[in-house]
Amino acid sequence: MAEFVLETDRLTRYFGSKCAVNQLSLKVPRGGVFALLGRNGAGKTTAIRMLLGFLEPTRGTAQILGTDCAKLTSEIRGRVAYVAEGHFLYKWMTIAELEQFQKESAPRWNQKLFRAVLDHFALDEKQKAGSLSRGQRAGVCLALALAPEPELIILDDPTIGLDPVARRALVEAMLMVTQDRTRTILFSSHQLDDVERVADWIAIMLNGELRVCCTPDEFRDRLSRWVLKFDDTPPFIDNIPELIHQMRFPNELHLTLANANAETINRLQELATRGCEQISLNLENGVIDYLSDKSRSGSLLQSVGGLS
């Protein structure tokens, strides 16, 4: 089997004069969970639509399971499952009818797996899609996607709008599926705590460009957060190349750095009049700091007068 289930080479898409995806070169290895991260408008959904052959790229190429995404055959599509943002289902159909509809076009069908996912979400096949909550729709969509036993499962923001219980059920189902290391999940998400639980790799897009592609541990290891304490108002820092985010408080400055070296750390210690310490940084805060507007350095509470 191919080492990579998905590969792109300088994949680019314009909408008029706006570049939505800019020269995306990405390789997704077989097995495990690959998370695609970024703010709204970063190009994640556009990239996914090109990968599935729903949208023609302006230039560049993409392959799924060794086949050009512009030439996907029914056989290849049968090995790929896709769950779109919003979890669309035909409202007038029962779960049993949706199952039969999907089964007719599926080359394989694992009834035991389908029932296991429905049970995981406490669903009854007699329920109509139109009566389901968002979390229940997500469960049905996942069951329909997994039952054909696809090699690659692509989920576009699958937990959007779900309550915590439904989110946890979906994440647990993803973990269950990837126990089989021949299966791969590619998913986009804004729920970074979920990503931290399940992702083996992360890719971060910013303004249509791929900026990070590594394991979560490697990403965390490259970032560090520091608290600098001062006797009075802290200075504004703008001349540290490794700086990616700063937050100013009345007597403290919180800085997040990427690939900080010993010289930079010594400089921070010299700046702080009352001491400098490194604090822990989880994946969620690291990604948010990385994606934040670097021109915004103050506290929201300060800006509205909540802090003196």
Side-chain angles (χ1 to χ4, degrees):
M1 290 186 289
E3 181 181 1
F4 300 104
V5 295
L6 187 156
E7 298 181 65
T8 69
D9 181 25
R10 292 167 290 181
L11 191 66
T12 301
R13 174 68 194 203
Y14 277 84
F15 292 101
S17 61
K18 178 177 172 54
C19 185
V21 174
N22 187 19
Q23 300 198 59
L24 177 65
S25 293
L26 184 68
K27 292 185 178 182
V28 175
R30 182 179 295 278
V33 181
F34 195 104
L36 188 59
L37 310 177
R39 302 184 69 174
N40 290 334
K44 304 184 299 298
T45 295
T46 299
I48 287 173
R49 292 180 65 201
M50 287 191 286
L51 293 173
L52 292 165
F54 299 159
L55 186 65
E56 185 178 350
T58 304
R59 55 177 174 267
T61 61
Q63 291 187 340
I64 281 183
L65 303 177
T67 301
D68 190 319
C69 292
K71 303 174 182 177
L72 296 179
T73 63
S74 57
E75 187 272 332
I76 294 294
R77 288 191 182 279
R79 296 160 61 191
V80 179
Y82 170 53
V83 177
E85 179 182 342
H87 311 111
F88 173 79
L89 295 170
Y90 294 111
K91 294 182 179 181
W92 62 88
M93 299 178 81
T94 64
I95 295 175
E97 289 169 337
L98 289 164
E99 173 192 357
Q100 187 59 37
F101 180 74
Q102 185 86 338
K103 189 186 296 187
E104 289 175 357
S105 60
R108 296 174 303 280
W109 190 264
N110 186 327
Q111 188 65 27
K112 184 177 179 181
L113 178 58
F114 181 79
R115 281 298 331 170
V117 177
L118 291 189
D119 291 343
H120 192 68
F121 283 83
L123 290 164
D124 188 317
E125 288 191 345
K126 297 177 182 178
Q127 292 175 273
K128 282 199 171 185
S131 69
L132 302 178
S133 68
R134 284 185 177 182
Q136 290 172 323
R137 289 205 312 271
V140 175
C141 287
L142 190 63
L144 293 171
L146 297 180
E149 299 186 324
E151 294 175 43
L152 174 62
I153 303 155
I154 298 178
L155 310 172
D156 191 2
D157 217 348
T159 60
I160 188 169
L162 303 190
D163 63 50
V165 174
R167 273 179 51 203
R168 185 172 69 177
L170 186 64
V171 168
E172 289 174 349
M174 290 169 63
L175 290 170
M176 175 185 70
V177 167
T178 52
Q179 293 300 307
D180 181 347
R181 301 302 289 185
T182 64
R183 290 203 185 103
T184 307
I185 292 179
L186 169 69
F187 79 111
S188 69
S189 181
H190 295 292
Q191 301 292 345
L192 298 174
D193 51 343
D194 293 342
V195 171
E196 190 156 25
R197 285 186 63 193
V198 303
D200 299 295
W201 299 272
I202 61 170
I204 301 178
M205 295 183 68
L206 185 62
N207 298 324
E209 297 182 355
L210 181 67
R211 297 295 183 88
V212 171
C213 187
C214 60
T215 67
D217 286 343
E218 183 180 354
F219 181 75
R220 281 189 297 260
D221 290 345
R222 288 178 175 271
L223 297 183
S224 57
R225 179 176 283 180
W226 300 83
V227 176
L228 284 64
K229 299 181 180 180
F230 299 86
D231 294 308
D232 49 23
T233 303
F236 181 80
I237 306 296
D238 63 356
N239 55 357
I240 297 179
E242 299 94 336
L243 180 65
I244 64 170
H245 184 263
Q246 62 179 302
M247 182 69 73
R248 300 172 73 240
F249 297 96
N251 297 102
E252 290 186 357
L253 190 61
H254 294 207
L255 305 179
T256 303
L257 308 179
N259 302 312
N261 55 35
E263 181 180 350
T264 298
I265 295 169
N266 288 336
R267 185 177 172 193
L268 297 183
Q269 293 169 340
E270 292 171 358
L271 280 171
T273 59
R274 290 182 53 206
C276 171
E277 64 174 333
Q278 184 176 0
I279 61 175
S280 62
L281 183 66
N282 62 20
L283 180 69
E284 179 175 10
N285 288 328
V287 171
I288 291 172
D289 285 356
Y290 187 85
L291 293 174
S292 294
D293 184 343
K294 296 174 180 55
S295 67
R296 297 177 184 170
S297 61
S299 162
L300 173 63
L301 294 178
Q302 282 180 299
S303 69
V304 297
L307 290 176
S308 59

